[in-house]
Amino acid sequence: MSARVLLLGSGFVAKPCLDILVKSGIKVTVACRTLQTAQKLSAGLEGATPIALDVSDSEALDNEVGKNDLVISLIPYTYHATVIKSAIKNKKHVVTTSYVSPAMEALNDEAKAAGITVLNEIGLDPGIDHLYAVKMIDEVHAAGGKVLSFLSYCGGLPAPEDSDNPLGYKFSWSSRGVLLALRNSAKYWKDGKIEEISGPELMNAAKPYFIYPGYAFIAYPNRDSTTYKERYHIPEANTIIRGTLRYQGFAQFIKVLVDIGFLEDTEVPFLAKSAEPITWKQTVANVLGVASTNEEDLVAAISAKTVFPSVEEKNRIISGMRWLGLFSDDFITPRGNLLDTLCATLEPKMQYGPTERDLVMLQHRFEIELADGKRETRTSTLVDYGVPGGYSSMAKLVGVPCAVAVKQVLSGGITERGVIAPMNAAINNPLIKELKEVYGIECIEKTLG
């Protein structure tokens, strides 16, 4: 394919995306804030050209966008609108894996007028989840049926054998981003009514969730699911919940951290980067407002601020806090607030080892009323493991759909213009076909009864 693409970003999903594009004969300019980062990502790839680029420099951005046919924006979502504006000016297509933000949506008319496609939400979640939700819903409607309930849960986790820490979790991306997401409120349809859960109560909403007997999952709702009545064209649905999967025990542990204030990002003087470093046990004592740094006294102070589900759970969680070093003489790495200071400790302790692999589990569950009034349950499930020394599952399942979307836009397989997401068969079917046939990525659909 004779085309030129500008790839912005160097995150873990960029590599599989870049690999596919250069193998397809597409010339890719890899643009990062530093030349060294771009060179590392491009190393050994014929057809990849590394450059340094600051996207806040509008003249430099416009210059690079103008040299290419399409821009992939894998930088933080807050910069996407800036990139799209440059693409509109230069009449170039854009692909992102991020949700469409209000700032991006506001550029829809301009993008249409420029005759460009700005395709978003084409990674894993969002991305593959949309492809197979829309597919099943369309099939049900085409047969005269109704979708009464739609549950969709996704989790990026360590493989069970590598989930060997108190949280059962390891970081494949920003630890800060993972923890901040746990503070988000949730909103969804349940039994015909909209329910809301505030951020501090989110972990209380986590419940055991059965997919396969071999996995001990819990699930909790994620952000605002109410918009999917309209987005997925299921006005008949009484229940619509999109959420997150974690392993059993995760929610209770996080709830204690929330209750004692460790997910707060407000500035704390004794955690200032310029402050004299103190020990973790002194930090915990300061946060809890107690004079003693004795572990027994710290545990008593923690117990006064939270409710443990049982004695066994208390012992497990306190043991986990001990594993993190919160009662130790280890010095903290002060980062200005509790959240970021905690991240500085979590990051080295909860990384993937060189022989470890991650797991992605995605499942849609549809409760359906058929045209004849009978009811049945259908599922659409993706289970995928990373390859030690190769791509992580998360990197592959975000990066590959992104690359396939780029190829489809460039080849004319996707022709819809404006700021769009994969919400209809015209966009989705070519993506589903190539992901399955070329890369072996698909959701397995089953009818349970």
Side-chain angles (χ1 to χ4, degrees):
M1 185 183 294
S2 177
R4 304 190 70 89
V5 166
L6 176 63
L7 171 60
L8 303 174
S10 60
F12 70 101
V13 304
K15 187 68 168 73
C17 179
L18 176 60
D19 287 349
I20 287 173
L21 296 179
V22 295
K23 284 177 185 174
S24 302
I26 295 170
K27 302 294 183 185
V28 183
T29 298
V30 179
C32 304
R33 280 180 296 180
T34 67
L35 181 59
Q36 185 180 12
T37 305
Q39 288 172 330
K40 184 178 178 182
L41 187 58
S42 308
L45 293 177
E46 188 176 341
T49 304
I51 65 166
L53 179 64
D54 179 357
V55 296
S56 62
D57 182 338
S58 57
E59 186 177 342
L61 178 62
D62 287 346
N63 184 46
E64 291 302 329
V65 169
K67 297 175 185 176
N68 293 275
D69 302 299
L70 182 147
V71 186
I72 305 169
S73 187
L74 297 178
I75 53 181
Y77 77 94
T78 49
Y79 294 102
H80 290 334
T82 299
V83 173
I84 295 168
K85 287 174 184 175
S86 179
I88 289 169
K89 191 185 302 182
N90 286 281
K91 293 184 166 53
K92 308 294 183 180
H93 303 300
V94 181
V95 172
T96 85
T97 59
S98 302
Y99 285 106
V100 176
S101 68
M104 296 158 70
E105 179 65 33
L107 298 170
N108 182 45
D109 290 343
E110 290 179 56
K112 285 181 178 179
I116 67 169
T117 295
V118 182
L119 177 58
N120 310 281
E121 305 189 25
I122 188 56
L124 166 65
D125 176 8
I128 295 172
D129 58 346
H130 292 333
L131 301 181
Y132 283 87
V134 172
K135 177 179 181 292
M136 182 71 78
I137 290 165
D138 283 354
E139 289 171 0
V140 170
H141 287 167
K146 297 177 181 177
V147 176
L148 303 181
S149 171
F150 172 75
L151 303 179
S152 176
Y153 290 101
C154 184
L157 295 156
E161 70 274 15
D162 295 322
S163 59
D164 54 349
N165 66 50
L167 282 164
Y169 191 82
K170 291 183 179 176
F171 298 111
S172 59
W173 62 295
S174 160
S175 60
R176 190 178 207 275
V178 171
L179 295 182
L180 280 176
L182 300 171
R183 301 179 0 178
N184 291 330
S185 59
K187 188 177 177 184
Y188 51 88
W189 285 96
K190 187 173 181 183
D191 299 328
K193 297 178 182 177
I194 291 177
E195 294 189 359
E196 295 188 58
I197 301 172
S198 66
E201 295 303 314
L202 185 63
M203 291 299 98
N204 281 339
K207 298 288 187 290
Y209 193 77
F210 182 86
I211 294 181
Y212 296 130
Y215 299 94
F217 291 128
I218 54 105
Y220 53 89
N222 184 18
R223 302 192 185 185
D224 187 358
S225 300
T226 61
T227 60
Y228 286 85
K229 259 192 192 253
E230 184 177 347
R231 294 196 89 193
Y232 284 168
H233 305 291
I234 44 174
E236 73 274 21
N238 293 315
T239 297
I240 302 173
I241 304 174
R242 299 173 82 247
T244 300
L245 294 172
R246 292 289 181 259
Y247 287 129
Q248 179 181 308
F250 177 89
Q252 292 88 343
F253 199 112
I254 293 295
K255 183 65 171 67
V256 173
L257 293 179
V258 170
D259 287 347
I260 64 174
F262 269 66
L263 296 195
E264 295 297 323
D265 59 355
T266 50
E267 293 297 312
V268 178
F270 66 81
L271 298 177
K273 293 179 183 179
S274 58
E276 192 73 27
I278 59 175
T279 64
W280 260 114
K281 67 182 184 183
Q282 185 63 60
T283 301
V284 174
N286 289 356
V287 171
L288 295 174
V290 296
S292 172
T293 59
N294 179 277
E295 181 177 320
E296 188 175 320
D297 294 329
L298 294 177
V299 171
I302 290 168
S303 301
K305 286 185 173 287
T306 191
V307 177
F308 293 101
S310 65
V311 173
E312 292 78 14
E313 275 295 273
K314 176 180 177 179
N315 291 338
R316 181 185 71 82
I317 292 167
I318 295 300
S319 174
M321 297 177 86
R322 193 178 296 120
W323 178 85
L324 287 174
L326 301 190
F327 308 129
S328 74
D329 289 315
D330 295 343
F331 284 94
I332 64 169
T333 303
R335 289 190 178 175
N337 59 65
L338 281 166
L339 175 72
D340 290 312
T341 301
L342 178 63
C343 285
T345 290
L346 293 180
E347 284 162 2
K349 285 180 174 285
M350 296 173 62
Q351 293 293 324
Y352 284 92
T355 62
E356 295 181 339
R357 59 183 185 157
D358 67 330
L359 158 74
V360 164
M361 177 72 73
L362 165 67
Q363 187 181 76
H364 299 319
R365 187 179 184 95
F366 308 84
E367 301 297 335
I368 295 164
E369 182 180 288
L370 303 176
D372 61 5
K374 292 180 181 177
R375 295 193 177 189
E376 66 182 25
T377 300
R378 298 182 194 173
T379 58
S380 188
T381 310
L382 169 65
V383 186
D384 188 77
Y385 288 89
V387 178
Y391 301 143
S392 70
S393 177
M394 184 62 75
K396 179 181 81 174
L397 294 177
V398 178
V400 174
C402 179
V404 170
V406 168
K407 292 199 295 175
Q408 291 287 344
V409 171
L410 289 172
S411 67
I414 294 173
T415 59
E416 189 174 334
R417 301 303 186 227
V419 178
I420 60 174
M423 293 291 160
N424 62 63
I427 297 171
N428 296 7
N429 288 349
L431 296 170
I432 290 172
K433 186 174 189 293
E434 185 169 349
L435 284 169
K436 177 181 177 180
E437 294 179 359
V438 180
Y439 302 100
I441 296 173
E442 65 172 322
C443 289
I444 303 302
E445 298 172 330
K446 292 185 177 180
T447 300
L448 304 183

